[in-house]
Amino acid sequence: MVFPEYRPRRMRRNRQLRSLICETRVSVEQLVYPLFIMPGKKIKEPISSMPGVFRLSIDQLAAEAKELQKLGINHVLLFGLPAKKDPAGSGAFGRDGIVQLAIKELKNKAPDLMVTTDVCMCEYTSHGHCGIIVQGQVDNDATIEQLGRIALSHAEAGADIVAPSDMMDGRISEIRAALDENHFDQVPIMSYAVKYASAFYGPFRDAAACAPQEGDRQGYQMDPGNSREALREANLDIDEGADILMVKPAVAYLDIIKSLRDECDMPIAAYHVSGEYAMIKAAAANGWIDGDRVLHETILSIVRAGADIVITYGAKDMARMLRG
Ligand code: PBG
């Protein structure tokens, strides 16, 4: 195929021809929208670093669910902001915990909306780390026991999928066992299998007030320079029984999404994280980029790299764009 026999521009002449050979399409079915739940009543508090995203009280969830379902979005990912925090993060697994109550409300008011829960301790611990601290270190084995309890409490409240984001070793088997022993063998685990120690989580940590009080998360989250290690993490989670593997962040880690796509046959999710979203919104607010088009291109690229599922704060904007 040498010029002039093959002219790539022939198939780019109009929208219908381009669309005929379009290799990657995003569907609203792939999108997951994160929700931040806080105590109180009638609260819909804007998160300043994440324009368009709010902290909601439980009484706002029915209306939120309706809005999402109208847009065709079928999946949410819940984060809770508890009224109180303690060193053991005990607010994370109470029957009347903020997330547990939010799950019940959503399953009551919008049973078809699929509820995934973030299983982690950092929003609930006073020190802000994702686990229990023993002698100044996040103790792996004490933490995974707690994570099993948290995941079980979410399943008991009605969660459709649980998503551990802590990056402790062995937590998928621990959670799988806790669920299976209690007749929740049908609840899938979406593992934050490959989660990097990233500066792109900045706005989220403000939104959920969960920045570590001391130190950082490099002792458990991955080194951004490592890609072979991503496959080791993914394989461990497959062996332990994960149903979906997640890569996080997404945009700065498209090569990792691609290599997981090439090396394993599991469903892959990618988390287009707070900082990645905030950068688009900030540049758009300054008039430097077309925010809608950049968001669309970003999500398309995440899917092109190999993600089946995209968790994004831009899900509503994207759903509107997909409608045309
Ligand atoms: C909790 C958690 C974090 C995010 C999702 N779950 C924060 C962190 O690990 O520091 C980040 C999400 C985002 O930035 O949008 N462990």
Side-chain angles (χ1 to χ4, degrees):
M1 296 206 293
V2 185
F3 181 80
E5 266 79 68
Y6 182 64
R7 290 177 178 267
R9 287 187 55 192
R10 275 200 285 257
M11 287 304 291
R12 294 180 198 145
R13 262 170 44 236
N14 62 38
R15 192 186 54 77
Q16 297 91 319
L17 290 174
R18 285 192 293 274
S19 151
L20 190 66
I21 60 159
C22 170
E23 297 179 34
T24 308
R25 290 173 218 268
V26 179
S27 152
V28 66
E29 310 269 346
Q30 297 172 279
L31 305 179
V32 181
Y33 186 65
L35 291 177
F36 297 96
I37 324 287
M38 63 181 293
K41 286 213 169 87
K42 296 197 179 151
I43 298 174
K44 186 167 179 179
E45 200 173 271
I47 300 169
S48 56
S49 53
M50 297 161 73
V53 184
F54 298 83
R55 297 186 195 90
L56 303 173
S57 53
I58 288 176
D59 54 355
Q60 304 293 302
L61 290 177
E64 182 71 17
K66 208 168 183 189
E67 183 191 344
L68 290 167
Q69 289 183 306
K70 248 196 183 149
L71 287 165
I73 297 169
N74 293 320
H75 294 270
V76 291
L77 173 61
L78 298 191
F79 294 97
L81 285 78
K84 272 191 252 140
K85 304 184 187 228
D86 62 29
S90 48
F93 56 84
R95 224 174 253 267
D96 295 329
I98 183 89
V99 164
Q100 290 77 1
L101 294 177
I103 301 167
K104 282 186 199 148
E105 172 72 4
L106 283 168
K107 293 318 294 182
N108 246 327
K109 301 281 166 63
D112 295 336
L113 185 71
M114 293 288 103
V115 175
T116 301
T117 56
D118 184 82
V119 176
C120 195
M121 295 179 58
C122 64
E123 293 117 67
Y124 302 88
T125 53
S126 39
H127 45 73
H129 277 287
C130 303
I132 293 174
I133 296 196
V134 180
Q135 292 172 345
Q137 299 284 331
V138 174
D139 187 277
N140 193 87
D141 297 11
T143 300
I144 62 175
E145 241 186 86
Q146 197 83 327
L147 292 167
R149 233 170 269 150
I150 298 170
L152 178 59
S153 75
H154 292 176
E156 282 169 343
D160 296 293
I161 302 177
V162 293
S165 67
D166 51 282
M167 288 302 278
M168 298 301 125
D169 298 331
R171 88 269 209 220
I172 301 301
S173 8
E174 188 79 20
I175 291 172
R176 190 68 272 159
L179 294 174
D180 291 358
E181 282 159 19
N182 292 280
H183 311 290
F184 292 108
D185 52 284
Q186 290 302 304
V187 173
I189 301 175
M190 171 155 75
S191 172
Y192 287 68
V194 183
K195 177 173 177 181
Y196 288 92
S198 169
F200 285 101
Y201 309 148
F204 174 95
R205 290 181 187 173
D206 286 339
C210 70
Q213 300 296 304
E214 253 177 75
D216 52 41
R217 303 210 209 286
Q218 293 182 73
Y220 38 103
Q221 299 180 347
M222 280 178 57
D223 181 338
N226 289 3
S227 62
R228 293 190 301 270
E229 190 185 358
L231 292 176
R232 292 202 294 279
E233 280 283 5
N235 284 325
L236 280 171
D237 285 2
I238 296 170
D239 290 346
E240 291 179 32
D243 299 278
I244 300 168
L245 303 177
M246 192 203 297
V247 175
K248 177 182 172 192
V251 185
Y253 296 84
L254 293 180
D255 59 319
I256 306 297
I257 298 174
K258 171 85 171 113
S259 81
L260 252 67
R261 176 71 299 150
D262 291 343
E263 301 293 331
C264 71
D265 57 8
M266 300 297 292
I268 294 173
Y271 200 140
H272 177 223
V273 300
S274 56
E276 296 177 319
Y277 171 81
M279 283 168 26
I280 297 176
K281 291 290 176 182
N286 274 298
W288 296 336
I289 57 170
D290 177 332
D292 268 359
R293 288 190 54 203
V294 171
L295 179 72
H296 188 289
E297 190 174 325
T298 299
I299 294 173
L300 178 71
S301 299
I302 295 169
V303 172
R304 191 194 59 233
D308 304 294
I309 301 163
V310 184
I311 302 162
T312 176
Y313 304 98
K316 290 180 185 174
D317 292 338
M318 187 65 181
R320 281 187 207 105
M321 283 185 266
L322 290 171
R323 290 218 158 156

